Amino acid sequence: MLYLVRMDVTPPRDMDPEEFARIKAREKDYALALQRDGRWRHIWRVVGEYSNYSIFDVAGNDELHRILQDLPLFPYMRIAVTPLATHPSDLAAQ
């Protein structure tokens, strides 16, 4: 199943910058592994925000929930998930 996911990151203002850098490094490693295995298909930055839009290709809701919950930045995120379906006017669907 395909999902469009928006992630908005809001770290605590008083978070130690070095600790935040360590968390971001773990986040990047995790995200790259998911991209390499094909489950995190696309990621785009939202200009001017600490946010992204991503496309995930996973078996279902439970797998996506586990993936998102395991993100090192998860405690500092607001996440919106939209399940996607094939559009009948999509050239690839013809």
Side-chain angles (χ1 to χ4, degrees):
M1 290 185 67
L2 293 176
Y3 295 89
L4 173 67
V5 179
R6 179 178 171 126
M7 295 176 242
D8 300 301
V9 181
T10 308
R13 291 189 179 276
D14 60 349
M15 178 177 265
D16 175 52
E18 291 178 9
E19 174 63 15
F20 190 53
R22 286 190 290 273
I23 294 170
K24 288 192 303 184
R26 289 194 341 261
E27 179 94 4
K28 183 175 183 177
D29 290 342
Y30 182 58
L32 290 173
L34 290 166
Q35 289 174 66
R36 286 185 186 104
D37 74 20
R39 290 183 286 171
W40 197 327
R41 302 251 317 253
H42 301 281
I43 183 170
W44 297 275
R45 175 174 287 165
V46 177
V47 176
E49 299 180 26
Y50 197 163
S51 303
N52 75 73
Y53 279 104
S54 295
I55 301 290
F56 286 85
D57 188 356
V58 295
N61 297 338
D62 292 331
E63 182 181 6
L64 180 61
H65 184 76
R66 282 190 301 275
I67 287 170
L68 296 175
Q69 191 173 9
D70 287 345
L71 289 166
L73 287 170
F74 180 79
Y76 314 109
M77 288 183 176
R78 186 180 71 232
I79 298 174
V81 175
T82 304
L84 301 173
T86 302
H87 194 284
S89 295
D90 181 5
L91 183 61
Q94 303 300 309

